[in-house]
C-alpha cells in the first residue's frame, strides 16, 4: 500500500511533554496508509541568517525530512499566548534561504494541549498566521483545544475514552485534508 508520509513537529522539548504524548496518541488514530514520523528540532542552532550559505547538519536534515513529507502535523503548547521559540526557530530554518522554503504547498494540521483552560487557542492562531505566510494549506475545522487533565490519555498512552471520538473525528478530517491536497 503506498504510504502518505506525515512529518510531525512537536513544539515542546520537555521530557514528559503532554504535546508529545498527544502527538504519539494521535498518530495511532491515523489510517494504515499514513505513516507519522516526528522530526527532531532540539538540536537546531538558533536561526542566524549569516549561516544560510552553510547550514548546520540538523538544518539540512530538517529540510530534507520536510521535503520528503506529504503533509505536516504541528502539535504545540502555548507559551505566553504564542508558540514556543523552538517551534518558530524550526519554521524559520526550513523557510530559508529566501526562495528555498520547503514548507510551501504542504497541507498542515494544527493542534495542541495546554494546562490552561484556553487549550493553546492563541498559540494555534499565531501558528496559523505563520503557516499562511509560508503558503501551507491548513485544516480550518474542526478546531481542537485540549486541556491536560486526568483521563486525556489512557494507561496505554492512547487517547482516553472521553476525547477519543472527538479526536478520531479530527484525525479523519485531517487525513481527508491531506488526501485532498496530495491527490
Ligand atoms: C514559558 C511558558 C509559558 C507558558 N505560557 C502558557 C500560556 O500562554 N498558555 C497556557 O495555556 N499555558 C502556558 N504555559 C503552561 C503550559 O501549558 C504547560 O507548561 C504545558 O505542560 C506545556 O506543554 P508540554 O507539556 O507539551 O511541554 C506556559 C509554560 C511555559 C513553560
Amino acid at each position: 500500500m503506498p504510504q502518505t508520509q506525515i512529518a510531525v513537529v512537536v513544539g515542546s522539548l520537555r521530557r514528559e511533554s503532554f504535546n508529545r504524548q498527544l502527538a504519539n496518541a494521535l498518530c495511532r488514530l491515523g489510517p494504515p496508509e499514513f505513516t507519522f514520523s516526528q522530526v527532531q528540532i532540539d538540536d537546531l542552532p538558533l536561526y542566524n541568517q549569516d549561516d544560510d550559505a552553510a547550514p548546520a547538519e540538523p538544518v539540512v536534515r530538517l529540510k530534507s525530512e520536510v521535503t520528503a513529507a506529504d503533509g505536516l502535523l504541528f502539535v504545540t503548547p502555548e507559551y505566553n499566548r504564542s508558540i514556543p521559540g523552538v517551534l518558530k526557530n524550526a519554521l524559520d530554518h526550513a523557510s530559508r534561504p529566501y526562495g528555498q522554503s520547503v514548507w510551501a504547498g504542504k497541507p498542515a494540521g494544527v493542534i495542541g494541549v495546554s494546562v490552561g483552560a484556553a487549550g493553546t487557542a492563541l498559540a494555534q492562531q499565531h501558528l496559523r498566521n505563520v503557516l499562511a505566510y509560508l503558503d501551507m494549506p491548513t485544516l480550518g475545522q474542526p478546531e481542537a483545544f485540549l486541556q491536560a487533565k486526568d483521563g486525556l490519555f489512557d494507561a496505554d498512552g492512547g487517547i482516553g475514552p472521553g476525547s477519543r471520538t472527538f479526536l478520531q473525528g479530527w484525525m479523519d478530517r485531517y487525513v481527508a485534508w491531506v488526501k485532498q491536497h496530495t491527490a
Side-chain angles (χ1 to χ4, degrees), residues 46-55 92-93 96-98:
L46 287 177
Y47 177 75
N48 178 341
Q49 199 175 355
D50 291 339
D51 301 331
D52 273 8
D92 290 343
H93 268 300
R96 289 277 157 164
Y98 182 76

Side-chain angles (χ1 to χ4, degrees), residues 5-102:
Q5 306 287 344
I6 303 298
V8 182
V9 187
V10 176
S12 171
L13 308 184
R14 195 168 76 86
R15 247 186 317 276
E16 302 295 326
S17 162
F18 294 125
N19 284 278
R20 185 162 302 99
Q21 291 177 58
L22 174 62
N24 291 336
L26 263 184
C27 295
R28 289 158 60 170
L29 303 180
E33 70 274 20
F34 270 52
T35 302
F36 296 85
S37 319
Q38 284 182 31
V39 299
Q40 188 183 347
I41 62 170
D42 66 352
D43 59 349
L44 294 169
L46 287 177
Y47 177 75
N48 178 341
Q49 199 175 355
D50 291 339
D51 301 331
D52 273 8
E57 188 282 323
V59 177
V60 175
R61 183 198 63 225
L62 172 70
K63 289 189 78 172
S64 100
E65 287 175 355
V66 174
T67 300
D70 298 297
L72 272 296
L73 175 57
F74 294 94
V75 187
T76 187
E78 179 171 289
Y79 276 6
N80 299 312
R81 298 291 183 249
S82 186
I83 58 173
V86 291
L87 175 55
K88 184 62 163 55
N89 191 49
L91 288 161
D92 290 343
H93 268 300
S95 73
R96 289 277 157 164
Y98 182 76
Q100 294 173 42
S101 168
V102 292

Side-chain angles (χ1 to χ4, degrees), residues 29 139 142 163-174:
L29 303 180
L139 178 69
S163 303
R164 201 173 297 151
T165 304
F166 171 69
L167 285 173
Q168 184 65 66
W170 188 93
M171 175 55 75
D172 293 348
R173 287 284 295 272
Y174 171 73

